[in-house]
Amino acid sequence: MGCSNNDVLILLFAAGIWDNVYRSQNWKINVTACRTNCPASTFVRAPGSTEAVFFMENVMEHLAKTLQKPSLEIKRLNYYKNGDKMMSGAVAKDFTLENITDQLLTSSEYTARVKSIADFNQANRWRKRGLDVVPIRFPCYWLGGNFNCLIAIFHGDGTIAVTHGGVEMGQGINTKVAQVVAFELGVDMKYIIIQPTQAITNANARGTNGSVGSELVCLAAIDCCRQLKNRIDVVRQKSPKKSWEGIIAECFTTGVDLSARSWVNPFTPDPVVYTTYGAMCTEVELDVLTGESQITRLDILYDCGESMSPFVDIGQVEGAIVMGLGYFTTENQIYDAKTGENLSYGTWKYKPPMAKDIPIDFRIALLQNAPNPTGVLRSKFVAEPPLCMTSSVVFALRDAIAANLAESKKDTWFPIVTPMTVERNQQYCQLDISQLRYKD
């Protein structure tokens, strides 16, 4: 019914990350295109990479089950080391995941909670808990990141008007740009106004996607500010005690150009500018009889470098996680088997995550003392990577289901289909009438 470049590009996105954080010298992955009767998909957030991480984590979970070992132990044994060659051909460097994992296990009280969950499952027949940790490696690519910025300072009151080639869609790009401009020019943010994006002032900018929009627009804004500072400082040095308004008024009087434009079209020697890492620990509680579940606690430690705007970045992590939890637990798309028609086009059947789906105990932390030497102002991007880790909720639910199956001697590996809806969770528990009789 439909085909677009998205169907091919998703495979390309997956190709750069499907080994996730694991040594892969002996792996071979074949990709097969399939024809379906469903319409082409539309990109949202972390397309391809989310599924690639899920597939690879499923492989590691299966290996651990087969070997009768804790999954985290098998994962850590197979982490990349600096100098290892990855599936993409790149060489692992600045690999900090061991440190991140150690910090997360400490802050999340992982060892104590493993024992606590085992005790809970032993004491409760019809409610089970599960716990799982998913790590992430997410490379950053700037190639093709065409963005621009125009800054104009008005002599009447020193107002700084900024327009850039990115699109504000709730990710905080305007806030970051305003903060960067204030920092670079050494002024209060009250002077800064972000104007709407326009094709005339910001021609030929690429789409705001790939998580790099905010940092590349900020890179363009920094260049604009440095052009302006070079001109303004000539006046400022003559009158160092003047206010911002006074300096700008004098610049105007002496004919200083108070506008600057910058075009960013980055080409880097290495396609991967830097890599970000993170780890997520998710605990769930499952009602075996109904299949309903709650996320009792979720901990994440994410490497954001030296965050340009911590509140914005923490908000981005929160949003990505909630999107991922919906994707992996509630948002089930149903298509007609014959026609491919979408039968879940409204919220009667399609269930986005709501307030009660948010983890009861939700703990987000950014890695401290980790400046990124190749990032903009030593930062790293944040938009998409946290979503890829939310498959941890799937494996935590599998862990809880496995605890139930062990009660009836059915504790073997079983395939799963996402999203892990209430109905699927209940079916995976494999209840039968004999388990529901009163015991003497």
Side-chain angles (χ1 to χ4, degrees):
M1 289 182 65
C3 182
S4 75
N5 286 336
N6 290 0
D7 300 318
V8 177
L9 289 173
I10 283 178
L11 294 178
L12 295 177
F13 296 152
I17 199 173
W18 51 25
D19 47 343
N20 197 12
V21 299
Y22 307 114
R23 290 195 296 275
S24 52
Q25 295 94 324
N26 300 321
W27 295 8
K28 182 179 180 181
I29 297 178
N30 295 318
V31 178
T32 302
C34 300
R35 177 177 290 181
T36 74
N37 63 351
C38 298
S41 300
T42 302
F43 285 176
V44 183
R45 195 177 199 169
S49 51
T50 301
E51 293 77 16
V53 170
F54 167 69
F55 293 154
M56 198 47 58
E57 291 301 309
N58 196 48
V59 169
M60 301 306 290
E61 294 284 340
H62 197 171
L63 285 170
K65 186 69 176 178
T66 303
L67 296 171
Q68 294 296 306
K69 297 283 188 179
S71 62
L72 184 58
E73 178 183 333
I74 299 300
K75 292 176 184 181
R76 297 194 73 173
L77 283 172
N78 286 277
Y79 276 3
Y80 277 125
K81 306 291 184 184
N82 284 327
D84 286 344
K85 189 175 182 180
M86 297 183 283
M87 288 194 74
S88 64
V91 175
K93 58 182 180 180
D94 303 321
F95 194 83
T96 59
L97 191 57
E98 284 286 3
N99 176 43
I100 289 173
T101 305
D102 287 339
Q103 288 192 41
L104 178 71
L105 297 186
T106 299
S107 63
S108 66
E109 306 163 298
Y110 177 81
T111 303
R113 287 166 63 197
V114 168
K115 183 179 185 305
S116 174
I117 288 170
D119 293 342
F120 179 91
N121 290 342
Q122 182 70 29
N124 293 272
R125 177 63 186 93
W126 303 117
R127 298 190 77 84
K128 300 296 180 183
R129 290 180 179 173
L131 184 71
D132 196 78
V133 174
V134 166
I136 184 72
R137 170 190 66 86
F138 206 102
C140 172
Y141 302 94
W142 281 359
L143 186 64
N146 305 329
F147 284 103
N148 38 40
C149 183
L150 173 66
I151 298 180
I153 305 175
F154 294 88
H155 75 280
D157 59 0
T159 296
I160 304 166
V162 183
T163 179
H164 57 76
V167 175
E168 174 63 71
M169 59 187 87
Q171 82 278 38
I173 188 171
N174 285 348
T175 300
K176 285 191 173 182
V177 170
Q179 290 176 319
V180 165
V181 171
F183 173 75
E184 289 292 326
L185 294 180
V187 299
D188 194 284
M189 282 185 62
K190 69 180 182 181
Y191 293 105
I192 299 166
I193 298 174
I194 305 296
Q195 299 289 351
T197 298
Q198 299 180 36
I200 294 176
T201 55
N202 289 285
N204 302 315
R206 65 167 260 183
T208 307
N209 53 36
S211 301
V212 297
S214 293
E215 63 184 38
L216 291 182
V217 165
C218 285
L219 190 61
I222 289 170
D223 185 40
C224 287
C225 290
R226 290 176 180 173
Q227 294 177 44
L228 291 166
K229 280 176 67 177
N230 288 336
R231 303 171 201 163
I232 294 170
D233 282 351
V234 176
V235 175
R236 180 179 273 158
Q237 289 167 6
K238 295 177 182 177
S239 308
K241 294 184 179 181
K242 275 193 174 182
S243 65
W244 173 253
E245 293 91 333
I247 291 170
I248 296 304
E250 187 173 340
C251 285
F252 175 76
T253 302
T254 56
V256 174
D257 182 2
L258 293 173
S259 296
R261 180 181 179 276
S262 179
W263 166 258
V264 170
N265 184 23
F267 288 91
T268 56
D270 186 341
V272 177
V273 181
Y274 60 81
T275 302
T276 190
Y277 302 95
M280 181 183 295
C281 178
T282 304
E283 179 183 330
V284 301
E285 184 172 317
L286 173 70
D287 187 319
V288 172
L289 297 176
T290 67
E292 294 174 290
S293 64
Q294 282 189 312
I295 301 172
T296 53
R297 180 170 168 182
L298 189 152
D299 298 72
I300 179 172
L301 179 59
Y302 182 73
D303 177 12
C304 210
E306 198 170 288
S307 172
M308 286 192 283
S309 186
F311 287 159
V312 168
D313 288 338
I314 287 174
Q316 280 288 283
V317 174
E318 289 175 335
I321 290 172
V322 173
M323 285 184 71
L325 296 179
Y327 181 68
F328 280 116
T329 62
T330 65
E331 298 177 49
N332 190 30
Q333 290 185 292
I334 304 169
Y335 296 98
D336 186 281
K338 293 183 178 180
T339 66
E341 178 187 0
N342 184 3
L343 302 178
S344 52
Y345 51 82
T347 54
W348 188 252
K349 292 185 177 179
Y350 182 82
K351 305 295 182 183
M354 305 296 284
K356 294 292 185 179
D357 298 306
I358 296 172
I360 296 170
D361 189 345
F362 200 179
R363 308 190 187 193
I364 296 172
L366 302 180
L367 184 65
Q368 299 298 300
N369 303 314
N372 175 23
T374 57
V376 179
L377 296 179
R378 301 170 300 282
S379 68
K380 290 186 178 182
F381 63 3
V382 66
E384 294 176 308
L387 192 154
C388 298
M389 288 182 275
T390 51
S391 58
S392 62
V393 69
V394 174
F395 303 116
L397 283 167
R398 184 203 281 279
D399 190 41
I401 294 167
N404 167 69
L405 295 176
E407 298 258 1
S408 52
K409 306 296 188 291
K410 299 177 181 178
D411 187 17
T412 58
W413 177 261
F414 56 95
I416 56 174
V417 176
T418 60
M420 299 282 278
T421 60
V422 170
E423 297 88 346
R424 285 174 177 156
N425 291 338
Q426 198 276 336
Q427 290 168 2
Y428 290 143
C429 287
Q430 301 180 39
L431 295 180
D432 60 63
I433 193 67
S434 64
Q435 296 173 316
L436 303 178
R437 298 179 184 276
Y438 284 109
K439 294 181 179 179
D440 294 334

